[in-house]
Amino acid sequence: MEQDVRNLVQELEVRWKSLTIANDFVFGKVMLDEDLCKEVLEAILSTDIEKIEYVGRQDAIDATEDGHGVRLDVYVRDARGTVCSVEMQATDTHELPWP
């Protein structure tokens, strides 16, 4: 029994360490923290973000590492007045143009 618990803990640690921003749970948690969201988006977009506005956020957020309950649209405006809608797309569904 004790070995089973150790194995489970080890498996959970491996799964936890493998999570990235592309995971719905992690993405939702990052996007809900305005300071962290701003820092991440400024790094990705290579611009200073003037304002972050949350719209259309789904109220229920799954608390599992593989949950799909977080659906969060984030609108940002940079220092030049450019407005962007930020959404996570972890798989290529060929709907977006790629340079």
Side-chain angles (χ1 to χ4, degrees):
M1 177 77 160
E2 190 174 314
Q3 184 61 40
D4 290 340
V5 171
R6 278 194 290 252
N7 289 342
L8 178 60
V9 168
Q10 185 177 20
E11 179 186 334
L12 290 174
E13 285 177 352
V14 168
R15 289 174 65 191
W16 178 254
K17 289 177 182 178
S18 71
L19 294 177
T20 68
I21 189 73
N23 176 276
D24 281 340
F25 175 77
V26 175
F27 179 75
K29 290 299 185 185
V30 169
M31 292 296 113
L32 284 174
D33 182 315
E34 189 169 341
D35 292 332
L36 184 54
C37 176
K38 184 176 186 285
E39 185 177 335
V40 168
L41 294 177
E42 286 178 339
I44 291 170
L45 300 172
S46 298
T47 188
D48 292 330
I49 303 293
E50 181 179 307
K51 181 179 179 181
I52 294 177
E53 182 178 340
Y54 296 99
V55 295
R57 194 187 98 215
Q58 185 174 346
D59 289 335
I61 298 176
D62 286 340
T64 63
E65 79 277 358
D66 60 349
H68 296 283
V70 174
R71 294 294 177 262
L72 190 64
D73 289 343
V74 178
Y75 288 86
V76 298
R77 183 175 56 227
D78 69 13
R80 295 180 304 253
T82 304
V83 176
C84 299
S85 172
V86 181
E87 299 178 31
M88 174 58 68
Q89 183 166 350
T91 58
D92 185 1
T93 58
H94 307 288
E95 297 166 340
L96 301 174
W98 193 256

